[in-house]
Amino acid sequence: MGCLGLSLVISGPMRVPLYRTCHTEHIRNPVNLLQTSSLDVRAVTVDFQGLRAIDDVSLRLHGGEILGLIGPNGAGKTTLINVLTGFQEPTRGSVHLGGEDIGAWKPHQRSRRGLVRTFQSVLPFAGLSALENVEASGLSIGLSRAEARADAERILMEMGLGDKLHRAAGTLPFGEERRVGIARAIAMRPRFLLMDEPAAGLNDAECRDLKQIVEGISQSLGCGVLFIEHRMSLVFELCRRIQVLQLGRTLAVGTPDEIRADPKVRTAYLGQEAA
Amino acid sequence: MLANPALRPLQTAAILILVLLGVALMAALAPPAMQRTVVEAMIKLTVVVGLFVFVGNSGVFSFGHVAFMAVGGYMSAVLTLAPARKETLLDLPGFLEALQLPWPVAMIVVVPAVGLIALAVGWPICRLRGIALPMATFAILIITFVVASNWKEVTGGRQALVGLPRYTGLWVAFGGAALAILAAAIYGVTRHSLLLRCSRENEVAAAATGIDVERERLIAFVISAMIVAAGGVLFSHFIGTITANTFYLDLTFVTLTMLVAGGMRSLTGAFVGVALVSIVSELFRTVERGFSVGNVTIAAPPGLQEIALAAILLAILILRPSGLLGDHEVAFTSSSSGSSPAKPEG
Ligand SMILES: Nc1ncnc2c1ncn2[C@@H]1O[C@H](COP(=O)(O)OP(=O)(O)OP(=O)(O)O)[C@@H](O)[C@H]1O
Ligand SMILES: [Mg+2]
């Protein structure tokens, strides 16, 4: 890595994703750098014919922070990400990036400006190679072919996929496919990364790797991470703040200790697992 | 440099053009009837390669591209017909009637003009989602057909436009097809091709990856329409006569069959599809005409050729839905993003 790459070398098979700071992103996309220090959801409600999937939820995510978002199935977590990334228009309420109302931005505009997501079901570009999957991100934020390719190679290498660059993403084992999905998001150089159950279906070793990846992302460039996950242990380890949703409403917000101790949360959600 | 997988489309194009050159050289020595068959196949190859640029990269079907052949064909006819003939057949404004351009100039005017039309038409259409987009392309075909068959002043209406300079011989057709292949390959190495292919794999994930799917579709749509229009121009000047019916359902069916048979995600597939369908059509046309074995003459009922094509299309759709080649391409080097290691040799 010629330039000042912030590569966090960590133990284990996987090094953490990093960011070259000497490259073009901030020249081409100056908005990214300064104004996007917080991501705000203000009193959002989403109705699906008769079903209120989200009911007056507010949320604030700061740069560099890892915020856990938990809640039982159907609580509205994915719907909230859809609202944030522009795939779902809120019935009421608004989303602000660095103070600016981004309600009118289309999904591709939001992701180009650093509001990036992963999918619960990964949704890789199955017929394209792992490399192309990740390269596309670099291209869409305006890197040249060569830059995007080098970036993608580096990120995949660091995710332990160096020998799978030319494999079609759809033919990779599940854990590796997930990593391609995360690499694709990282290559977007996110200011805020919204991860929808990234650990689902991963084994314990893969989970530990994931934890290191997420910590690396948040530390190396001060990227804010919204971390949706069912596996409580992982959430409690990673996040200093956790927000709990239930049936579309915010049940509690607080530190892991506060959440563990909250009786409402215990009965509503943790009951089975905390016991 | 050519080891760079991102540049493989150029390798593929080089191989395909070489093969095409071989075919052209052999055809040059063949009897005229055979030569005409090869010329026609090369023109169709131009059209199918144009179609591939949009359909193959976007994964969105188009039933309307033959309309751009029509627009190209008619424009070129108006620009190249002798003024005296235009006076009897058409009712054009004075300056257009007087104008008679050499064919290469007409081609250079027509292709970008069709590009502009495709931009205007594609702008609203590429915003459509799901099945609405292919349906809209079909609507373009129908509208173009209706306009072409009724706009007497410009197209001659139901009357055929005759007397077009018949310049599309073997080498012109070869040049057209080779340029089309090269254009498709150059598009294939651009960022636009990769971004559009991402949207083909998954539209939602593409948007989440910052890809402006509508814009990428529009870019491919315009390039593809221009290549197809060039094919339309060549075709018109090959047969020398055009009517609205020349560019309608039959040609749409044949070109789509060619694209699907070979594998609509692969340039090599487009090539193989055109070759296969052309050979099969020619065989059955011969059988329909009747031929003699010893002193027995065998002739098949007319229509056999269409039925055979439809049967081949069905068989491929059922047995190999992604076409004969799937998404494989010929190339000098191995390593591909294809999902199976099997690959045809260059
Ligand atoms: N497009 C839609 N149309 C109608 N209802 C929907 C739609 N999307 C989500 N829902 C409903 O909204 C509610 C919230 O769904 P959501 O997917 O956001 O939950 P979740 O918290 O992500 O659950 P899980 O943990 O299972 O992923 C559910 O009841 C779901 O059925
Ligand atoms: Mg969900």
Side-chain angles (χ1 to χ4, degrees):
Chain A
M1 247 136 294
C3 54
L4 230 184
L6 299 174
S7 177
L8 294 174
V9 182
I10 54 172
S11 57
M14 208 184 284
R15 280 193 302 149
V16 159
L18 33 107
Y19 296 82
R20 284 178 306 175
T21 50
C22 63
H23 260 279
T24 47
E25 169 202 8
H26 307 117
I27 302 162
R28 294 198 183 142
N29 236 342
V31 224
N32 265 359
L33 196 58
L34 290 173
Q35 301 159 7
T36 51
S37 51
S38 84
L39 176 63
D40 270 302
V41 173
R42 296 191 191 155
V44 161
T45 296
V46 176
D47 288 333
F48 294 118
Q49 308 93 353
L51 174 86
R52 182 152 291 187
I54 297 190
D55 189 358
D56 195 28
V57 168
S58 295
L59 174 154
R60 171 169 283 189
L61 178 59
H62 300 282
E65 175 188 36
I66 305 175
L67 173 65
L69 185 64
I70 63 174
N73 289 92
K77 305 180 295 293
T78 300
T79 305
L80 191 62
I81 288 199
N82 287 341
V83 169
L84 279 162
T85 48
F87 288 97
Q88 173 66 52
E89 206 182 322
T91 313
R92 271 194 301 283
S94 57
V95 177
H96 300 253
L97 187 59
E100 183 183 356
D101 187 335
I102 60 169
W105 297 10
K106 292 184 182 147
H108 73 268
Q109 294 170 322
R110 298 188 194 205
S111 51
R112 278 185 199 173
R113 304 238 199 140
L115 187 48
V116 181
R117 70 178 294 177
T118 67
F119 293 92
Q120 200 164 347
S121 46
V122 190
L123 307 186
F125 303 129
L128 304 184
S129 70
L131 189 61
E132 286 171 319
N133 267 262
V134 183
E135 205 181 339
S137 300
L139 293 178
S140 73
I141 57 169
L143 301 188
S144 73
R145 286 304 307 251
E147 287 168 337
R149 173 162 281 265
D151 226 35
E153 270 172 14
R154 187 176 42 78
I155 292 171
L156 284 168
M157 223 90 104
E158 278 152 9
M159 304 273 279
L161 292 169
D163 53 341
K164 306 278 169 68
L165 296 182
H166 299 291
R167 280 273 299 276
T171 65
L172 293 172
F174 186 71
E176 293 179 354
E177 186 182 274
R178 269 209 184 278
R179 270 186 268 167
V180 170
I182 294 173
R184 187 173 69 184
I186 290 170
M188 292 295 295
R189 309 199 170 167
R191 312 304 304 178
F192 292 98
L193 180 58
L194 318 174
M195 307 183 87
D196 200 350
E197 303 198 20
L202 299 189
N203 62 34
D204 286 347
E206 288 172 328
C207 256
R208 277 193 299 280
D209 290 344
L210 175 71
K211 179 167 171 269
Q212 290 172 333
I213 292 173
V214 175
E215 280 168 343
I217 295 170
S218 98
Q219 282 162 18
S220 57
L221 239 211
C223 171
V225 178
L226 184 67
F227 193 75
I228 294 183
E229 186 45 57
H230 278 299
R231 211 176 303 203
M232 281 314 119
S233 52
L234 194 56
V235 176
F236 286 137
E237 279 174 46
L238 261 176
C239 310
R240 265 188 240 139
R241 215 153 59 85
I242 295 169
Q243 180 155 351
V244 187
L245 289 189
Q246 193 204 7
L247 294 175
R249 298 186 140 269
T250 299
L251 198 62
V253 191
T255 64
D257 287 336
E258 287 165 356
I259 296 299
R260 269 197 207 93
D262 193 314
K264 286 191 307 247
V265 178
R266 289 184 78 96
T267 46
Y269 184 53
L270 289 175
Q272 328 93 19
E273 229 180 284
Chain B
M1 184 185 83
L2 282 180
N4 182 345
L7 296 180
R8 288 178 90 249
L10 294 180
Q11 286 183 32
T12 303
I15 295 171
L16 294 180
I17 291 172
L18 278 178
V19 173
L20 198 63
L21 181 64
V23 173
L25 285 172
M26 283 195 287
L29 305 173
M34 173 78 96
Q35 220 180 81
R36 280 186 67 78
T37 307
V38 172
V39 171
E40 193 176 334
M42 284 181 175
I43 297 169
K44 288 193 175 141
L45 178 59
T46 309
V47 174
V48 173
V49 165
L51 201 52
F52 159 78
V53 168
F54 180 72
V55 177
N57 287 288
S58 71
V60 176
F61 237 79
S62 169
F63 300 101
H65 270 66
V66 163
F68 296 115
M69 282 185 83
V71 177
Y74 276 112
M75 276 185 169
S76 180
V78 166
L79 292 175
T80 57
L81 272 175
R85 206 180 280 275
K86 283 194 246 184
E87 199 187 335
T88 49
L89 291 174
L90 307 173
D91 187 8
L92 295 166
F95 77 98
L96 264 184
E97 195 174 283
L99 189 68
Q100 188 183 16
L101 297 175
W103 71 263
V105 179
M107 176 70 98
I108 290 170
V109 172
V110 167
V111 170
V114 173
L116 286 179
I117 293 172
L119 185 65
V121 172
W123 182 272
I125 282 189
C126 289
R127 282 155 201 277
L128 299 174
R129 296 277 149 99
I131 190 68
L133 210 169
M135 287 310 292
T137 61
F138 193 47
I140 296 179
L141 181 70
I142 292 170
I143 291 169
T144 308
F145 172 74
V146 171
V147 170
S149 20
N150 291 288
W151 197 8
K152 287 202 191 64
E153 294 78 4
V154 175
T155 66
R158 296 197 185 275
Q159 203 184 350
L161 269 191
V162 295
L164 274 66
R166 292 174 58 173
Y167 63 75
T168 313
L170 183 59
W171 294 106
V172 170
F174 166 76
L179 282 178
I181 290 172
L182 193 63
I186 290 174
Y187 172 77
V189 299
T190 64
R191 61 173 61 221
H192 298 293
S193 159
L194 176 55
L195 296 177
L196 187 57
R197 278 181 287 131
C198 288
S199 81
R200 173 188 79 192
E201 298 298 316
N202 193 302
E203 215 174 314
V204 170
T209 310
I211 298 170
D212 187 345
V213 178
E214 293 165 6
R215 177 166 172 266
E216 298 304 337
R217 276 185 186 158
L218 184 59
I219 291 170
F221 189 78
V222 170
I223 295 172
S224 143
M226 293 194 336
I227 299 174
V228 167
V233 172
L234 293 178
F235 193 62
S236 309
H237 293 275
F238 169 62
I239 45 182
T241 308
I242 50 176
T243 69
N245 253 319
T246 312
F247 307 104
Y248 200 39
L249 295 174
D250 289 351
L251 203 50
T252 301
F253 175 68
V254 170
T255 49
L256 284 178
T257 303
M258 288 170 161
L259 183 67
V260 171
M264 69 173 208
R265 292 163 150 227
S266 142
L267 186 55
T268 315
F271 191 97
V272 170
V274 173
L276 177 79
V277 171
S278 298
I279 291 169
V280 169
S281 302
E282 189 54 28
L283 280 180
F284 279 91
R285 220 176 293 165
T286 316
V287 174
E288 274 176 21
R289 259 189 248 120
F291 61 94
S292 25
V293 180
N295 45 13
V296 187
T297 301
I298 304 171
L304 189 65
Q305 182 205 340
E306 284 79 7
I307 293 178
L309 274 192
I312 288 178
L313 181 62
L314 271 180
I316 288 175
L317 287 177
I318 293 166
L319 300 174
R320 258 190 100 92
S322 57
L324 292 178
L325 275 92
D327 49 12
H328 297 302
E329 299 281 11
V330 287
F332 300 116
T333 51
S334 57
S335 147
S336 130
S337 60
S339 44
S340 116
K343 206 171 323 114
E345 293 302 317

